[in-house]
Amino acid sequence: MPTYAPGVALVEGSGTTVWDAEGKEYLDFVSGIAVVNIGHCHPKMVHAIQDQVETLVHVSNLFYNEKQPLLARALSERSGLPGAKCFFCNSGAEANEGLIKLARLWGSEHGKYEIVTMRQSFHGRTLATLTATGQEKVQKGFGPLPDGFVYATFNDLESIEDAITSKTAAVLVEALQGEGGVIPAEPEFLSGLRKLCDEKGILLLCDEVQCGMGRTGKWFGFQNYDVVPDAFSLAKGLGNGFPIGAVVAGQKLSDIFQPGHHATTFGGTPLACSAALAVIDVIEEEELLANTMVMSAYFIEGLCEIAMKHKKWISGVRGLGLLLGLVLDVPAAPLQKKLLEKGMLSLATAGNVLRLLPPLNVSQKEVDQALRLLGEACLELHEESAALSPNPCQCGMGQ
Ligand code: PLP
């Protein structure tokens, strides 16, 4: 179905490089939308999948498999949530559905079912998660939407306080809004939110689908803020492209789901868990959290120089770790297109933000290459728009 409009057919990948069907090479600063965090076809992951596929692929959750508890323990230990347990599923939307169901079941005894979510958030495309997503364009045409979602403003504690009622079960938030335009939470906002949820006796849930698994330089985005949620969702980078999602819940919620409450046929297969365990090993062995922070600082410096050079139409750089956005005063799509022509993949987000998501093992040489291509593309766009509309600028690309 024409749900996407892809322009290029990619056929091969290695590390930060991908090739299209014509053999053209691209520097991949999209990473499959924050998925391929350890790069394309990392040998350790390839071997883990190959070994597992020859041993045991799927048994259903009616039986234990060896790999699932290992992955649950690995995530639980890194989460900082005391006594955390996991439910495994297949995607980000499904993980958020799990979080929503968990919060509702927890609140059901006291008539609490409402979930406060943020405007400009993104939580998925199933009916409940598109309703949780505070963006009209995602919801339009799919009504009637499920009841029980209330919207507040990101980075505005007062607005959240106003949205909380006696029926509120939880607040669901991203530590950094990715699809919403690469907007990090302000430190006082997340710590204040934790405090507010405790005072009101409600749950704090984090959607870590995009910023989890090292993307922000910590295992999980909320760890940048020293805040511990009651539960969080994962997907994307967890399997580096092998589909797997997870709900990770701390003590308060870890035994709410009992047999019969929630299920999924494919969740946590030995194959998916082997892929995710290999991802965790690689992130640790290759010290990719540290590399993320070093490359992030280096990349931000270079991006700021470009932004300064074009300050008439680039207003700044924002983000955490290697989830960065170049914020333009004009639509980002022309810049993204120009970069694609030059052999670099990037994403236009929220209209005017160029989202940049290299793998976490990106090298300084590759960041230099990205900065060079970006510098060239900005200069060319600037010159083209000046030639098109000398004064005043009508095409929106500066003067
Ligand atoms: N939550 C966040 C923060 C996301 O960025 C996304 C996808 O972009 C999702 C949830 C949905 O994940 P999926 O596409 O795997 O269902």
Side-chain angles (χ1 to χ4, degrees):
M1 292 183 191
T3 50
Y4 287 83
V8 178
L10 299 173
V11 294
E12 203 181 325
S14 174
T16 311
T17 309
V18 287
W19 290 268
D20 72 13
E22 270 82 52
K24 181 173 167 181
E25 188 173 303
Y26 299 84
L27 185 65
D28 185 359
F29 270 43
V30 172
S31 302
I33 323 183
V35 169
V36 188
N37 284 0
I38 60 168
H40 292 280
C41 301
H42 192 291
K44 185 129 196 190
M45 186 183 155
V46 171
H47 290 141
I49 291 176
Q50 279 173 342
D51 284 352
Q52 191 61 48
V53 93
E54 289 173 4
T55 311
L56 189 67
V57 172
H58 172 90
V59 290
S60 90
N61 287 303
L62 300 176
F63 306 95
Y64 278 119
N65 75 66
E66 281 185 319
K67 296 291 155 72
Q68 202 182 107
L70 293 178
L71 181 58
R73 184 165 68 193
L75 293 174
S76 173
E77 283 172 357
R78 285 156 187 79
S79 71
L81 274 63
K85 293 186 182 174
C86 302
F87 175 87
F88 291 106
C89 54
N90 308 284
S91 70
E94 198 188 347
N96 285 330
E97 285 272 349
L99 270 188
I100 292 163
K101 280 183 70 177
L102 195 56
R104 284 200 176 186
L105 195 58
W106 173 83
S108 61
E109 260 184 43
H110 309 287
K112 290 173 181 277
Y113 61 90
E114 278 177 359
I115 317 260
V116 178
T117 68
M118 306 302 123
R119 295 188 185 93
Q120 295 312 118
S121 58
F122 189 83
H123 300 296
R125 299 287 193 153
T126 61
L127 269 181
T129 58
L130 74 82
T131 310
T133 295
Q135 299 191 48
E136 221 180 286
K137 66 170 195 238
V138 171
Q139 301 173 345
K140 203 162 167 244
F142 296 106
L145 301 177
D147 198 7
F149 293 91
V150 179
Y151 308 108
T153 305
F154 190 57
N155 278 333
D156 180 348
L157 266 183
E158 242 177 71
S159 139
I160 301 208
E161 204 161 355
D162 290 346
I164 294 173
T165 69
S166 57
K167 297 195 186 95
T168 306
V171 177
L172 171 63
V173 71
E174 296 157 88
L176 180 154
Q177 290 190 330
E179 306 290 318
V182 192
I183 306 171
E186 284 160 14
E188 321 76 69
F189 173 69
L190 266 201
S191 53
L193 193 52
R194 175 70 274 181
K195 217 165 139 243
L196 183 64
C197 289
D198 288 341
E199 279 164 18
K200 302 275 182 190
I202 60 176
L203 305 170
L204 176 60
L205 309 176
C206 282
D207 179 338
E208 287 283 331
V209 169
Q210 185 153 158
C211 47
M213 299 311 292
R215 181 50 57 189
T216 67
K218 303 272 185 192
W219 278 109
F220 308 110
F222 57 79
Q223 291 170 337
N224 290 284
Y225 299 87
D226 264 338
V227 163
V228 181
D230 295 298
F232 63 94
S233 54
L234 282 176
K236 288 191 183 276
L238 180 56
N240 205 58
F242 198 100
I244 177 166
V247 176
V248 184
Q251 234 148 25
K252 196 190 282 182
L253 296 173
S254 58
D255 289 319
I256 295 289
F257 280 159
Q258 291 294 314
H261 278 139
H262 197 47
T264 174
T265 298
F266 291 128
T269 64
L271 188 54
C273 293
S274 291
L277 283 164
V279 170
I280 293 172
D281 276 355
V282 170
I283 292 177
E284 244 146 38
E285 281 167 17
E286 299 183 10
E287 298 181 6
L288 297 189
L289 299 183
N291 190 63
T292 299
M293 294 315 291
V294 174
M295 287 304 119
S296 172
Y298 185 73
F299 197 16
I300 289 174
E301 205 180 303
L303 289 172
C304 285
E305 272 173 33
I306 292 173
M308 279 302 288
K309 255 189 220 149
H310 299 280
K311 58 178 180 244
K312 281 192 179 150
W313 58 278
I314 302 182
S315 58
V317 180
R318 67 186 176 217
L320 288 172
L322 289 172
L323 210 178
L324 297 174
L326 188 66
V327 187
L328 315 183
D329 296 329
V330 295
L335 184 54
Q336 183 212 343
K337 196 161 162 264
K338 179 90 51 205
L339 284 169
L340 186 71
E341 286 162 14
K342 288 180 172 294
M344 176 174 158
L345 307 185
S346 62
L347 270 175
T349 305
N352 68 325
V353 179
L354 190 79
R355 191 164 30 146
L356 297 158
L357 305 150
L360 310 184
N361 50 6
V362 70
S363 67
Q364 186 167 326
K365 200 166 147 223
E366 287 162 338
V367 173
D368 282 335
Q369 193 187 345
L371 287 168
R372 182 176 56 74
L373 294 174
L374 203 47
E376 280 173 23
C378 285
L379 204 63
E380 284 172 28
L381 270 183
H382 180 79
E383 280 164 4
E384 283 165 23
S385 70
L388 277 173
S389 48
N391 196 19
C393 170
Q394 285 159 6
C395 72
M397 285 307 306
Q399 294 169 37

